[in-house]
Amino acid sequence: MKKDKLVILAGPSGVGKGTIEKILFEDNSEMKLKLSCSVTTRKPREGEVDGVHYYFVSKEEFEKKIKNNEFIEWNSHFNNFYGTLYSEIENINKQGFLPLLEIETNGALNIMKYYEEKNESSCLISIFITPPSLQELKNRINNRATETEKEIKIRIDKAKEELKEKDKFLYSVINDDAHIAANEIKKIIFKELKNND
Ligand code: 5GP
């Protein structure tokens, strides 16, 4: 039986995953990607919409979902919980779309482990996005101006750890120019989907 593929776009916070993702969705008719909406306990940023950018829940609601085994992976970082629902991926597959998970590295590694244990690693198109340099990553997080100085330091320290894991991914793409990176990712996805035919 042909198994459903899943795209994981991972990499440190601030590396530009969101920007790349937007570009990918501008011309998506052939790839039929659909973003998997994660659950988080983080407060919405300005402009973020519940059920579109995240399902925003309380810590208690999140803990209930952990207990009910609703997450394929979840992680706690920057004092908040983030998780991917099994049901979200299933629904996207059912609709005939290719799920795209935009998550941080540990969550991605957990999914990779889960698929490995099921002997289904070939279903995963795992892509790690790297910044051109750590300084550039720091600039990007600074420019976003949504985190305090202390939060920025925590994100940079975590980024250093995440970058050590990049070789565990099938592909790694440098995000110097988001359009070039998105184009490279498109080529990877097409190639992988073709291999699946
Ligand atoms: P932000 O708070 O900036 O939206 O996200 C912080 C980090 O959490 C980002 O690196 C983002 O990719 C990651 N993230 C978003 N959703 C999930 C998820 O469902 N699981 C995990 N492990 N990380 C996630």
Side-chain angles (χ1 to χ4, degrees):
M1 196 183 109
K2 200 168 105 179
K3 299 276 183 203
D4 292 317
K5 289 251 178 196
L6 180 79
V7 180
I8 303 180
L9 211 56
S13 168
V15 79
K17 297 186 293 265
T19 312
I20 291 176
E21 189 189 289
K22 269 193 208 118
I23 300 168
L24 287 176
F25 282 103
E26 277 167 12
D27 174 20
N28 179 39
S29 51
E30 279 183 80
M31 287 184 293
K32 289 194 85 186
L33 282 176
K34 193 157 195 170
L35 186 67
S36 159
C37 185
S38 297
V39 182
T40 186
T41 58
R42 165 167 84 55
K43 296 272 167 294
R45 296 187 185 124
E46 210 183 312
E48 284 185 332
V49 178
D50 186 41
V52 176
H53 299 93
Y54 283 105
Y55 300 112
F56 295 100
V57 299
S58 65
K59 194 161 177 268
E60 291 69 33
E61 284 173 284
F62 198 100
E63 279 166 350
K64 206 165 143 198
K65 288 183 187 302
I66 297 175
K67 223 169 138 193
N68 291 343
N69 200 21
E70 291 182 46
F71 291 117
I72 183 167
E73 66 78 35
W74 65 270
N75 206 352
S76 148
H77 46 274
F78 315 134
N79 291 326
N80 284 305
F81 290 104
Y82 296 81
T84 308
L85 296 165
Y86 285 106
S87 60
E88 183 75 9
I89 294 178
E90 278 165 19
N91 286 339
I92 295 173
N93 282 330
K94 264 192 217 146
Q95 293 164 22
F97 284 89
L98 175 65
L100 172 77
L101 272 58
E102 190 258 273
I103 59 180
E104 54 68 69
T105 308
N106 289 322
L109 293 175
N110 285 337
I111 293 200
M112 280 148 77
K113 207 167 131 210
Y114 171 80
Y115 274 76
E116 238 166 63
E117 282 166 4
K118 286 203 303 174
N119 242 335
E120 290 180 3
S121 297
S122 60
C123 294
L124 294 180
I125 307 174
S126 58
I127 305 169
F128 189 88
I129 314 289
T130 63
S133 66
L134 265 181
Q135 184 53 48
E136 177 56 24
L137 183 68
K138 201 172 173 187
N139 295 345
R140 287 178 193 176
I141 297 176
N142 267 326
N143 289 343
R144 195 158 68 178
T146 48
E147 284 86 22
T148 63
E149 199 47 48
K150 195 174 154 212
E151 282 167 345
I152 291 171
K153 190 182 173 310
I154 293 171
R155 284 182 190 238
I156 295 292
D157 287 346
K158 185 165 186 282
K160 285 183 193 163
E161 291 305 310
E162 293 187 54
L163 287 168
K164 290 181 193 159
E165 309 287 359
K166 90 171 190 313
D167 292 342
K168 295 187 178 155
F169 289 75
L170 215 46
Y171 299 93
S172 83
V173 170
I174 298 173
N175 181 18
D176 197 356
D177 176 300
H179 280 94
I180 295 174
N183 214 18
E184 208 174 313
I185 290 167
K186 253 185 218 172
K187 280 189 196 152
I188 290 171
I189 294 174
F190 279 130
K191 189 179 98 184
E192 287 288 328
L193 291 180
K194 225 171 143 200
N195 287 345
N196 201 35
D197 281 344

